[in-house]
Amino acid sequence: MGSGKTSVGRRLACVLKRDFFDSDFEIVARTGVAIDHIFDVEGEEGFRQRETSMLAELCEITNIVIATGGGIIIKPENRELLKHNSFVVYLSSSIEHLVMRTARSKSRPLLEKSTNREKTIRELVEKREPLYQEVADVVIDTTGKKLYAIINEIKKAIPK
C-alpha cells in the first residue's frame, strides 16, 4: 500500500510494450463500485474473494504487467497463482515512506478505519513481508527512488 505498484506497473508496461492491468481497477470496473464500498457491503473477505477471482483471470493472459492490491498476498491460493508462470517484483518501502505516500488517500479501506495510520501500516508490513518475500523473484526498495530508477532496476532483473 503506497509502494508505487500502479505507477511503476503502468510505466514498466509502456517500456516493455505490454498491456497493463491493475487488479483493483479491474474489480472496480467490473462491479461498478469503489473498493471501499465493497469492503462496507461484503467485508474484507468478500473483497478478497473478488480479488482472487480477478487475479486468476489476469494470470491467464500472457505477456502483461499486473499491479495487485497490497493484500493480495494474504491468501495462499493467490501466492500460488503469482508464483506460477510469472515474474514477481516486490516493491518494498520504508514505513515512513508508505505513511507519507498514503497520507492524503481516502480510498484505502484498511487505513480509513485506522486511528493510527503508521501503526496500521507497520502491522500490515510485518504481517505481509514474509509472504511477499516468499513469492518475489526480485525485491526492489522504492524508498526515495525516482520512477525511472525503479524501472531500470526491474528491467535488469527480468530474465532474458
Side-chain angles (χ1 to χ4, degrees):
M1 192 181 316
S3 66
K5 296 179 299 294
T6 300
S7 299
V8 170
R10 185 175 286 121
R11 175 58 58 200
L12 180 64
C14 283
V15 168
L16 298 177
K17 295 177 177 36
R18 295 183 181 185
D19 289 330
F20 171 74
F21 295 90
D22 180 300
S23 63
D24 286 351
F25 178 83
E26 295 299 319
I27 291 169
V28 170
R30 291 270 173 88
T31 61
V33 297
I35 288 172
D36 54 347
H37 182 75
I38 296 170
F39 264 75
D40 287 344
V41 174
E42 299 177 9
E44 184 175 357
E45 183 53 36
F47 173 74
R48 297 293 173 210
Q49 288 172 1
R50 289 180 181 276
E51 196 174 49
T52 298
S53 296
M54 182 55 62
L55 180 62
E57 265 187 59
L58 292 174
C59 285
E60 293 293 319
I61 306 169
T62 58
N63 294 316
I64 63 171
V65 174
I66 304 170
T68 66
I72 208 160
I73 205 76
I74 296 167
K75 294 181 90 171
E77 56 263 52
N78 293 346
R79 294 194 299 276
E80 286 304 313
L81 284 166
L82 289 168
K83 284 192 277 190
H84 180 73
N85 236 358
S86 300
F87 184 80
V88 179
V89 177
Y90 166 37
L91 301 177
S92 72
S93 203
S94 70
I95 301 297
E96 296 74 25
H97 188 75
L98 296 174
V99 170
M100 181 187 74
R101 293 227 19 206
T102 61
R104 292 187 201 99
S105 175
K106 299 288 185 222
S107 61
R108 301 177 191 270
L110 295 178
L111 289 184
E112 295 313 305
K113 294 176 168 73
S114 173
T115 57
N116 183 335
R117 280 185 174 224
E118 181 176 346
K119 180 176 184 261
T120 301
I121 289 171
R122 188 172 305 282
E123 289 169 353
L124 289 171
V125 169
E126 286 172 5
K127 178 181 175 184
R128 296 173 180 177
E129 177 79 20
L131 305 175
Y132 290 129
Q133 295 285 349
E134 175 190 324
V135 301
D137 292 296
V138 64
V139 178
I140 307 287
D141 184 355
T142 65
T143 306
K145 292 182 182 169
K146 300 282 185 205
L147 182 61
Y148 281 99
I150 297 166
I151 299 301
N152 286 333
E153 280 188 59
I154 295 169
K155 279 176 47 183
K156 288 177 188 171
I158 296 172
K160 302 292 183 231

